[in-house]
Amino acid sequence: MHDLSSHSHEAFHENIQAFESPEQAAKLISYMLEHNKSHADELHEICHKLEASGQSEAAYLIDDAVGCFRDGNAMLELALNNLTKEEK
């Protein structure tokens, strides 16, 4: 597997195709979870700026999307905990 620290989506997709163990899957999920959290935080900032500029409807929709990101991240975290629990 390649280094996940680079932000190359091509390299990341190669890692998805190449993983062969639950440990490698856990590394990929961990990376994606942190990546998603970062994007959710960025979207949350955009939401606040749009709200302040009077774009309430767009801000509301983005806020809902951020909630979906967080719900998905919670599920990924559960899956990651399940994978890492099995490794011990």
Side-chain angles (χ1 to χ4, degrees):
M1 279 186 23
H2 296 93
D3 179 21
L4 295 177
S5 61
S6 72
H7 197 86
S8 165
H9 288 284
E10 288 176 9
F12 183 74
H13 287 286
E14 288 175 22
N15 283 319
I16 291 173
Q17 298 300 319
F19 90 84
E20 297 176 356
S21 69
E23 294 83 13
Q24 289 175 331
K27 286 181 184 179
L28 286 167
I29 292 168
S30 180
Y31 169 80
M32 290 195 305
L33 181 59
E34 292 308 311
H35 188 84
N36 287 353
K37 286 179 180 179
S38 173
H39 284 309
D41 291 343
E42 292 165 343
L43 285 167
H44 192 69
E45 280 184 48
I46 291 169
C47 173
H48 285 295
K49 288 182 179 183
L50 287 172
E51 182 70 38
S53 71
Q55 298 292 320
S56 298
E57 187 173 343
Y60 176 80
L61 292 167
I62 292 169
D63 190 50
D64 275 355
V66 169
C68 292
F69 265 74
R70 290 186 174 147
D71 290 345
N73 287 341
M75 292 173 73
L76 287 173
E77 219 160 349
L78 289 172
L80 183 59
N81 289 340
N82 184 274
L83 282 171
T84 56
K85 176 181 69 174
E86 290 177 7
E87 290 176 12
K88 294 177 182 176

